[in-house]
Amino acid sequence: MAELSHNCKPPRLAEGLLALLIGRSDEMLGDLSEEFLCRAAKDPRAAGYWYWQQVLRSLPYAVEHSVLLARLSCLVVCACLILVPVLIAFVAWLSNFDVFPAGVEQGMQRLVSGQIAGLLTESAIWGLFPEALRRTEDLWFLIHPPALIWSLLSVAAAYLYYRRKASSAGGFALMALMLVFMPYVVGKLYIFLNAPPAKQVGPLLAFVLLHICYSVPPLAYMAVKRLRHSVRYRHG
């Protein structure tokens, strides 16, 4: 019976899932494996069911403290840094544009309806960004007090969460993404429900776009620092 329990191993799929999330060096895997061997000496099938139960119960903890998911989340946050120069160029173009370039169908209607993501996929608009930046005589168009205040509040909220010892890298990255894109989602919903005139849409779009530009760099910096701390803690 001792030889049977020695050769018996935890369910591969369950063990692999947990190892993927928390890493094979985590103590939880070792503890579960030892308990599994003790139970397998009496009833291997019941031990397998027990192991699956423990893995499923541990999923919330594993997801929250997963280094893999934290790295993916931080990668998404840092990838948002690419948006900053693009959005700055887009705002510069909006500050100076007269008409939409040829080939951009329903450009003004899409702009007024808040379809920023769709407009940024138009290569004709990208082609106008260098000229828009050259025509910009000052950088005052980047100063938007309401967006700046909201961004400072967002960064402050993220910093308070960052300072919590129990906060995880993945949880912080998800919070950062929510803080960055929540105004965009709310703005889109407001435009969809109220269909405001173009004069009201312009300031709203400026608020949304400049908030992303303001908030992404500090939030990405904190997300990377939190990830590094988590990796050192897990393997240190």
Side-chain angles (χ1 to χ4, degrees), residues 52-83:
W52 266 109
Q53 263 188 343
Q54 298 307 308
V55 168
L56 293 177
R57 288 177 181 175
S58 304
L59 281 182
Y61 169 86
V63 169
E64 183 181 0
H65 295 84
S66 170
V67 174
L68 173 64
L69 294 181
R71 284 173 176 167
L72 291 176
S73 301
C74 289
L75 182 62
V76 173
V77 175
C78 293
C80 292
L81 287 170
I82 302 174
L83 286 174

Side-chain angles (χ1 to χ4, degrees), residues 88-149:
I88 289 176
F90 186 68
V91 173
W93 174 71
L94 286 178
S95 303
N96 297 287
F97 93 105
D98 299 317
V99 294
F100 277 88
V104 179
E105 298 182 0
Q106 300 178 331
M108 183 57 71
Q109 181 179 351
R110 292 162 68 184
L111 179 64
V112 172
S113 61
Q115 298 179 25
I116 304 299
L119 288 174
L120 288 176
T121 61
E122 298 283 355
S123 58
I125 290 181
W126 281 69
L128 297 177
F129 285 174
E131 178 62 25
L133 290 173
R134 281 195 297 268
R135 289 172 56 186
T136 301
E137 297 179 357
D138 55 56
L139 298 178
W140 286 110
F141 73 94
L142 292 176
I143 307 300
H144 193 283
L148 186 58
I149 293 173

